[in-house]
Amino acid sequence: MNGVLILAGGRSQRIGKNKCFTKLGDKPLIAHVVLKAQLIAEEIVVVTNKNNDTSQYSSVLPVTVNIVKDEFEGKGPLVGIISGMKKMTSKYVAIVPCDSPFVEIEVYKFLFQKAHGSDAAIPTWPNGYVEPLHSVYKSNSAVRAGEEALNDGELRIFDLIKRLQRVVAVPMHEIKRFDPQLLTFFNINTEKDLEMAKQTLSLKKP
């Protein structure tokens, strides 16, 4: 079974409010992501800040989505990944940020295929930059590596990745076969990004 873990614990400082509930079209950003996740995986978990009110999430998400809180407050996405994966039964889990409304389901299906038999499949740009928040991980390997990093006082997702034994780097030219414009990696941090997303959404409508 495959799973999707949606990270919804960011502080959204640049946009001035919780991005998850910012409207894009007729629904909040997180609802766009969940709709895509339902086409990718059987198990969906949303992980949010320890102090957030989960009822706000429940009010806009299907009852089949499990909402989990970070185990520790203010420690960043690494804690979110570990906290969420611990509550999941899926062998492989795709990470998706809540502010990426245009994720392409075929990209994630491809990443699940690439991750099979390894600890992770991570999209990689030509300059070597990677997309750890748009990747697929073997859940038990990721939890082990992430907890080792936290125990060593390391909080970056790269500190998790460097502890994995078998990581498949997936070049962007392969990703483009399924997402020519690479909109999967477009995320919303500012009001300008939100306006761009609205324009993109309008172009996607039939």
Side-chain angles (χ1 to χ4, degrees):
M1 182 170 70
N2 293 331
V4 171
L5 176 59
I6 300 171
L7 297 176
R11 296 181 180 179
S12 310
Q13 291 176 324
R14 282 182 284 178
I15 207 167
K17 53 189 173 184
N18 191 331
K19 286 187 288 187
C20 292
F21 306 106
T22 299
K23 281 287 187 72
L24 176 61
D26 60 352
K27 50 185 171 286
L29 286 176
I30 194 167
H32 284 273
V33 179
V34 167
L35 283 173
K36 296 291 184 68
Q38 290 176 315
L39 301 174
I40 300 168
E42 299 89 349
E43 181 181 28
I44 302 170
V45 166
V46 169
V47 63
T48 187
N49 285 337
K50 188 175 180 65
N51 293 326
N52 279 359
D53 179 6
T54 58
S55 65
Q56 191 175 7
Y57 294 84
S58 301
S59 66
V60 299
L61 298 178
V63 295
T64 53
V65 175
N66 188 18
I67 302 165
V68 173
K69 288 189 176 185
D70 285 344
E71 291 185 358
F72 309 103
E73 182 183 356
K75 298 294 185 180
L78 177 58
V79 168
I81 290 171
I82 296 170
S83 301
M85 284 190 180
K86 281 184 174 181
K87 301 294 184 180
M88 303 179 75
T89 59
S90 299
K91 184 174 182 179
Y92 286 93
V93 173
I95 305 296
V96 189
C98 71
D99 61 350
S100 295
F102 304 122
V103 291
E104 174 54 60
I105 61 173
E106 295 301 326
V107 168
Y108 278 92
K109 289 179 180 179
F110 180 60
L111 291 174
F112 275 117
Q113 291 175 8
K114 299 292 284 188
H116 185 74
S118 299
D119 291 324
I122 302 177
T124 306
W125 294 90
N127 62 2
Y129 182 80
V130 300
E131 295 282 354
L133 297 184
H134 288 280
S135 300
V136 170
Y137 298 86
K138 188 176 182 180
S139 56
N140 60 1
S141 298
V143 169
R144 174 194 53 76
E147 288 186 328
E148 287 179 3
L150 290 178
N151 289 337
D152 290 340
E154 299 174 346
L155 298 176
R156 302 179 309 160
I157 300 176
F158 295 104
D159 298 318
L160 180 160
I161 293 171
K162 72 183 183 183
R163 288 173 166 83
L164 299 176
Q165 295 182 351
R166 296 163 297 175
V167 176
V168 177
V170 184
M172 281 298 163
H173 68 82
E174 293 188 18
I175 301 289
K176 281 186 174 182
R177 288 162 45 199
F178 310 100
D179 184 4
Q181 295 179 284
L182 298 177
L183 289 175
T184 292
F185 307 105
F186 176 81
N187 66 308
I188 296 172
N189 289 312
T190 65
E191 291 291 346
K192 183 178 179 181
D193 293 335
L194 183 58
E195 288 304 313
M196 290 176 61
K198 289 177 180 178
Q199 293 175 21
T200 300
L201 184 65
S202 67
L203 292 173
K204 282 178 167 287
K205 289 182 177 178

